[in-house]
Amino acid sequence: MIAEGPRHGYDIMLEIEQRRGGMRPSPGSIYPALQMLEDGEFLRGQERDGKRTYTITDKGLALIEERPPDGSTTFDGDSIYAIFAEAMRQVHGIKVAAKQIAQSGNIELIKRGIAVLDKTPRDLMAILADHFFKAAASSS
């Protein structure tokens, strides 16, 4: 949809609802996806009239071109589209699990869940740091 022109999150939700015949996605699924696409430089977000409007980037257009023409979700496991789809699936799974732990009301479970969530960003940053360290070492 964003390839068709700049849009804001609520507009995207309404358009998906219209295209799917009444099934509107939740803000909790749309906004994290937009943020992940923006973080990956597939979209560019800008504040306009009090709303964050998203525009597709060249990298985003390349991602769309990788999608199978029939719209299927079967991809080569090493394609950026497949990897991105898997990342979104994993983030959604984390959100669902964290919500279930929070709803349990069990303080010990919640504390253990927080410990896992606290460790995850550090582990991801360590992966990124290792990548940049190796890249710097190979260019020396």
Side-chain angles (χ1 to χ4, degrees):
M1 279 181 263
I2 298 172
E4 297 166 5
R7 295 184 186 252
H8 54 83
Y10 185 69
D11 182 42
I12 293 167
M13 290 187 320
L14 293 177
E15 183 67 22
I16 290 172
E17 179 181 28
Q18 182 179 8
R19 291 183 187 190
R20 288 189 175 172
M23 279 184 35
R24 183 187 302 181
S26 71
S29 62
I30 292 297
Y31 290 104
L34 289 170
Q35 185 62 55
M36 186 177 268
L37 287 165
E38 187 174 9
D39 290 348
E41 299 179 352
F42 299 102
L43 300 178
R44 185 173 302 109
Q46 292 180 311
E47 295 295 324
R48 291 185 188 158
D49 301 323
K51 296 178 183 177
R52 189 151 188 86
T53 302
Y54 297 90
T55 308
I56 197 159
T57 63
D58 289 342
K59 189 175 178 181
L61 290 171
L63 180 66
I64 289 171
E65 289 174 10
E66 229 181 272
R67 187 179 180 125
D70 64 359
S72 71
T73 56
T74 303
F75 303 99
D76 171 4
D78 289 332
S79 76
I80 188 68
Y81 195 90
I83 292 166
F84 188 77
E86 179 60 17
M88 289 301 298
R89 191 182 74 71
Q90 293 293 334
V91 167
H92 179 72
I94 291 167
K95 178 184 166 192
V96 168
K99 184 177 180 180
Q100 288 176 349
I101 289 171
Q103 289 174 339
S104 76
N106 182 314
I107 297 300
E108 288 307 311
L109 282 181
I110 294 168
K111 286 179 180 179
R112 287 175 55 200
I114 290 170
V116 169
L117 293 174
D118 182 57
K119 185 178 179 300
T120 302
R122 287 182 300 199
D123 289 351
L124 293 172
M125 291 306 286
I127 291 168
L128 190 59
D130 183 57
H131 166 75
F132 285 119
F133 176 75
K134 287 178 181 174
S138 68
S139 67
S140 297

